[in-house]
Amino acid sequence: SGADLDHPDLKNKLVPGWDFQDGDPIADDPHGHGSAVSSRAAAETDNAEGMAGVCWDCVIMPLRADWESLGADALVWAIDHGARIVNLSQHNDAHSQPLVSGIAYAYDAGAVLVSSAGNQNETPITYPARYPEWIAVGATKNDVWRAEPFSFNSNPGSNYGPCLDLVAPGDLIVAAYNNGDYSGTLCG
């Protein structure tokens, strides 16, 4: 869903992206999810702001695209513009043939593809994490057990199963939100 392009912890960590939904280079995040995910990965450090990302030298290429019709275009665009790691925290229960071509393009270019396993507390994991090219990531609580249930939100827990590649903290994690906000934590 893009990223908050003016957020103090993100604005200096962003490279040009694209909004496939609006057809312009302003991939500003209308929902906050992309900002939260981006901040966990690469929020600026030593700037006296709210948080630090886990990858201090990383930059974020914000993209906005829907699941099926624009997802493949976004993957191709990202690779053609220098992306080496793709994080797609969006998930769906349905296979997407249009998305498969974008996945193949990114994977064949050597990109590392990472996706959440889903938040329905069920097996199997969701797409795109279920595709073999992706690293499928499940969520844990702070006690290292599977996040089931999440501490808050309507999602019952992290998906699980034999296609899961790894787990990472995913319950009550601090994140940057839109408009310079850090007022809470996210689960998922």
Side-chain angles (χ1 to χ4, degrees):
S1 64
D4 180 351
L5 304 179
D6 297 316
H7 195 288
D9 255 344
L10 295 176
K11 66 183 179 183
N12 296 326
K13 299 295 295 253
L14 301 174
V15 297
W18 191 260
D19 184 336
F20 288 85
Q21 292 177 315
D22 293 338
D24 62 46
I26 304 169
D28 208 17
D29 182 4
H31 308 292
H33 185 264
S35 299
V37 173
S38 297
S39 71
R40 290 172 181 165
E44 194 165 347
T45 57
D46 290 332
N47 65 343
E49 290 294 336
M51 63 179 294
V54 296
C55 185
W56 297 3
D57 295 326
C58 291
V59 294
I60 300 292
M61 179 186 296
L63 303 175
R64 282 189 68 222
D66 67 16
W67 165 249
E68 188 163 356
S69 62
L70 301 173
D73 294 341
L75 283 168
V76 170
W77 193 94
I79 299 306
D80 287 349
H81 288 83
R84 296 185 316 247
I85 300 171
V86 174
N87 176 70
L88 183 56
S89 292
Q90 185 181 41
H91 50 87
N92 199 300
D93 291 330
H95 161 73
S96 169
Q97 190 56 46
L99 190 59
V100 168
S101 64
I103 292 169
Y105 186 83
Y107 186 77
D108 289 347
V112 175
L113 307 173
V114 181
S115 180
S116 66
N119 298 324
Q120 295 80 22
N121 193 32
E122 61 188 25
T123 191
I125 62 176
T126 56
Y127 292 102
R130 197 182 311 176
Y131 293 121
E133 297 89 352
W134 291 80
I135 297 171
V137 183
T140 64
K141 290 190 172 218
N142 63 1
D143 62 5
V144 304
W145 293 99
R146 184 168 62 90
E148 179 275 318
F150 289 113
S151 294
F152 73 89
N153 75 19
S154 61
N155 298 319
S158 179
N159 289 1
Y160 56 94
C163 293
L164 195 64
D165 294 304
L166 59 98
V167 295
D171 192 57
L172 301 176
I173 305 298
V174 172
Y177 296 92
N178 288 352
N179 303 315
D181 188 16
Y182 303 91
S183 65
T185 56
L186 289 180
C187 299

